[in-house]
């Protein structure tokens, strides 16, 4: 089992460019999450999904879009990157409501927007 | 005011010491409390999980929840250099729709050999 994997691991963008971060999990989990982690701010939820084909907004959704077309994948898109989106992005998955507290995290993607 | 407050540290203690990490929260609806451990440049991993008030012990780790004071703690006994990491508290309510966790900002801990 690879667990939760994230692609890419690092990326540098210029302001206004777009990109997609890919998260994949092989644990057949229902729930998937995208967080950003910034110094002094902790983990903040961007968007999440409670099942294939569903998405919902988290605490800081502006400037991001997501899609969950397949159960195992959760994509995070930045349509027009801004320097404020420089952060470390973590994807996580969990089995479902009863096990939602055990979130399994990926290794993170370090994104810099110039 | 943040829903969950956590002292960011950094906290440095000698090997073998007892470590106390704490979080306070303001939302009385929180029922489930967790501690995640995050090593440098890695994703967080679940360390301890407790429901409502009380204590839970797992090896060298003890989690305490005091709902009356809205205060949770993680104690590490006989601390080891391998315990050096950032510790994040997390919590949520008990109703459906509470799939989301609210995290503290994390406390960076260094155990000095």
């Amino acid at each position: 089992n690879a667990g939760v994997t994230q692609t890419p691991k690092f990326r540098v963008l210029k302001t206004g460019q777009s990109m997609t971060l890919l998260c994949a999990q092989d644990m057949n989990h229902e729930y998937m999450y995208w967080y950003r982690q910034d110094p002094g701010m902790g983990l903040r939820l961007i968007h999440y999904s409670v099942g294939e084909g569903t998405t919902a907004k988290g605490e800081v959704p502006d400037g991001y879009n997501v899609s969950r077309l397949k159960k195992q994948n959760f994509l995070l898109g930045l349509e027009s990157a801004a320097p404020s989106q420089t952060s470390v992005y973590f994807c996580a998955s969990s089995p479902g409501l009863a096990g939602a507290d055990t979130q399994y995290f990926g290794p993170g993607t370090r994104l810099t927007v110039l | 005011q943040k829903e969950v407050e956590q002292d960011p540290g950094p906290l440095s203690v000698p090997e073998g010491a007892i470590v106390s990490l704490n979080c306070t929260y303001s939302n009385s609806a929180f029922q489930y409390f967790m501690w995640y451990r995050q090593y440098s440049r890695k994703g967080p991993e679940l360390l301890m999980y407790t429901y409502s008030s009380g204590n839970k012990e797992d090896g060298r780790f003890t989690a305490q929840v005091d709902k009356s004071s809205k205060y949770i703690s993680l104690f590490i006994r006989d601390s080891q250099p391998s315990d050096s990491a950032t510790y994040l508290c997390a919590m949520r309510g008990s109703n459906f729709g509470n799939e989301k966790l609210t995290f503290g900002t994390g406390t960076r801990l260094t155990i000095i050999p």
Side-chain angles (χ1 to χ4, degrees):
Chain A
N1 271 357
V4 179
T5 58
Q6 292 182 234
T7 309
K9 289 185 170 52
F10 304 93
R11 186 72 185 269
V12 178
L13 288 179
K14 293 181 180 178
T15 297
Q17 287 185 320
S18 63
M19 78 164 294
T20 300
L21 283 68
L22 171 64
C23 176
Q25 53 97 0
D26 61 3
M27 296 174 282
N28 200 35
H29 285 170
E30 289 294 330
Y31 293 4
M32 296 187 75
Y33 313 80
W34 274 108
Y35 293 91
R36 58 178 291 174
Q37 188 173 39
D38 304 288
M41 302 295 289
L43 281 166
R44 292 184 292 168
L45 184 64
I46 304 170
H47 286 281
Y48 66 104
S49 167
V50 299
E52 181 178 316
T54 75
T55 62
K57 294 180 180 179
E59 181 185 357
V60 288
D62 294 342
Y64 305 94
N65 56 75
V66 288
S67 65
R68 183 108 181 262
L69 298 179
K70 293 183 179 181
K71 186 177 184 179
Q72 64 267 34
N73 295 338
F74 196 28
L75 278 64
L76 177 71
L78 287 72
E79 291 185 347
S80 180
S84 61
Q85 294 177 305
T86 293
S87 188
V88 181
Y89 291 86
F90 287 101
C91 175
S93 70
S94 68
L97 185 59
D101 309 308
T102 307
Q103 294 190 16
Y104 296 83
F105 284 81
T109 294
R110 293 182 176 273
L111 175 66
T112 301
V113 182
L114 303 175
Chain B
Q1 183 188 2
K2 293 179 182 177
E3 273 193 307
V4 178
E5 298 278 358
Q6 184 174 11
D7 187 337
L11 180 63
S12 295
V13 300
E15 183 176 354
I18 295 175
V19 176
S20 173
L21 304 168
N22 311 293
C23 288
T24 59
Y25 63 95
S26 57
N27 188 343
S28 58
F30 286 145
Q31 296 278 353
Y32 294 85
F33 304 91
M34 293 121 252
W35 287 94
Y36 279 77
R37 177 174 62 193
Q38 184 177 20
Y39 290 114
S40 181
R41 294 185 174 265
K42 301 287 187 183
E45 57 180 346
L46 183 66
L47 186 63
M48 296 284 288
Y49 169 99
T50 52
Y51 169 68
S52 196
S53 286
N55 294 1
K56 185 173 184 178
E57 191 173 317
D58 184 2
R60 297 184 294 110
F61 298 89
T62 299
Q64 284 187 352
V65 175
D66 181 350
K67 290 191 67 184
S68 63
S69 301
K70 296 189 177 68
Y71 189 87
I72 70 170
S73 300
L74 177 71
F75 297 96
I76 307 174
R77 292 183 299 281
D78 187 24
S79 55
Q80 303 294 311
S82 59
D83 296 327
S84 297
T86 296
Y87 290 80
L88 302 124
C89 62
M91 49 198 78
R92 71 169 178 92
S94 61
N95 297 325
F96 180 79
N98 279 294
E99 307 85 359
K100 298 170 287 183
L101 297 178
T102 300
F103 284 86
T105 54
T107 299
R108 189 152 58 96
L109 172 68
T110 301
I111 307 299
I112 304 166

